[in-house]
Amino acid sequence: MPTRSTATDAIRGGIALLAVFAFALSYDALRQTAVAIHIRGLLTYVFPLVIDGFIAIGVGALVMLRTASAWSRAYVWILVGAATVTSIWANALHAVRLNQQTRQGDGLRLDDFAVGALSAIAPLALAGAVHLYIVVHRHPTAHGPADVARDAADVAPSTTEVAEEPQSSAESQDHEASEIPPERLALARTAPLGRNGRASRRHIEATFRNRDLTIGRTEADRLKDILQAELDEAASQQQRDLDAAPADAA
């Protein structure tokens, strides 16, 4: 659907532009703050990168670590929160001090609180834009060539592909299933199928997250393989029943 794909690309481009503009606004304020705290020479241009750059990287890390332990996520949240608060405080301090030095009669003049609050928009918009971009990138809405290739990698291999690989024994499948809690396997069975009626890791992950449950990629892959083995066995049994039907009728 080219229309949906174009809309998605436009949204991604808009978010990226928003992040660039927010970074530029915050960068200007932080660089002037670096001069005020007596950072010398070219290092004043590095100071904003350390703060706002860490915010962008930290937000991306939070999305990537969504299935990590609570302690790991809390640690990253603390670091990102500290960097965000520092950036907001520096932007607000810069704006308030300049506002206090502005003479009356130079045009519109806001009070210190309004100036400080509005100056916090840039670092907040930067963090929000980075998060939005990652979320949109991870949840595509179109089905162009790139999406077809991604979906093909996401679902279990087809029957012909499986035939070319060494056949796994039933005992191996039973062993994998026994290592997964029955309730998680039962929940995975409720996930919608992917392309061509194949088991889909992405749909399994979405089913768990809709229930506020965490699931790692390794476990999702194992569940996908187990479910696909069940689907293949059911299809084989159905074919055997159909083949046996004429003989029974005769």
Side-chain angles (χ1 to χ4, degrees):
M1 299 181 183
T3 302
R4 296 176 64 187
S5 178
T6 302
T8 302
D9 291 340
I11 291 174
R12 290 178 181 174
I15 293 173
L17 269 179
L18 174 62
V20 170
F21 293 150
F23 178 80
L25 291 171
S26 181
Y27 185 94
D28 179 63
L30 291 177
R31 198 192 74 78
Q32 294 183 55
T33 302
V35 175
I37 61 177
H38 310 296
I39 294 178
R40 294 181 296 179
L42 295 176
L43 292 178
T44 59
Y45 294 93
V46 178
F47 181 72
L49 297 175
V50 174
I51 298 178
D52 284 349
F54 187 88
I55 293 174
I57 294 173
V59 171
L62 281 172
V63 177
M64 294 177 63
L65 296 174
R66 66 192 183 283
T67 59
S69 65
W71 285 110
S72 297
R73 289 181 56 81
Y75 173 71
V76 179
W77 268 114
I78 291 172
L79 294 179
V80 173
T84 304
V85 170
T86 300
S87 182
I88 292 173
W89 175 77
N91 274 268
L93 179 63
H94 162 266
V96 169
R97 291 299 296 159
L98 288 180
N99 191 58
Q100 292 172 348
Q101 297 172 18
T102 302
R103 294 176 300 174
Q104 295 289 347
D106 286 344
L108 177 64
R109 187 176 188 277
L110 303 176
D111 60 74
D112 291 345
F113 177 80
V115 168
L118 291 174
S119 66
I121 293 177
L124 288 175
L126 173 61
V130 173
H131 182 260
L132 280 176
Y133 186 88
I134 295 174
V135 170
V136 171
H137 182 73
R138 291 182 60 86
H139 297 279
T141 57
H143 289 279
D147 301 296
V148 172
R150 180 169 47 250
D151 289 343
D154 172 66
V155 299
S158 64
T159 307
T160 56
E161 292 172 338
V162 171
E164 296 175 358
E165 299 175 356
Q167 295 292 329
S168 59
S169 64
E171 294 180 358
S172 175
Q173 292 293 344
D174 292 341
H175 177 68
E176 290 184 4
S178 65
E179 294 180 351
I180 296 178
E183 61 275 10
R184 294 179 72 83
L185 182 57
L187 179 58
R189 290 192 178 107
T190 66
L193 298 178
R195 292 177 64 253
N196 301 324
R198 315 295 296 177
S200 168
R201 184 192 69 244
R202 184 169 42 168
H203 291 170
I204 293 173
E205 291 173 340
T207 300
F208 274 75
R209 288 172 192 140
N210 288 339
R211 301 288 187 91
D212 295 326
L213 298 173
T214 60
I215 181 172
R217 178 161 184 165
T218 300
E219 183 184 8
D221 278 328
R222 290 169 59 195
L223 285 169
K224 178 192 70 177
D225 293 340
I226 293 171
L227 296 185
Q228 189 57 51
E230 293 178 352
L231 291 172
D232 291 340
E233 176 59 28
S236 297
Q237 183 60 48
Q238 184 179 16
Q239 185 61 46
R240 287 194 296 268
D241 292 342
L242 290 175
D243 293 342
D248 292 341

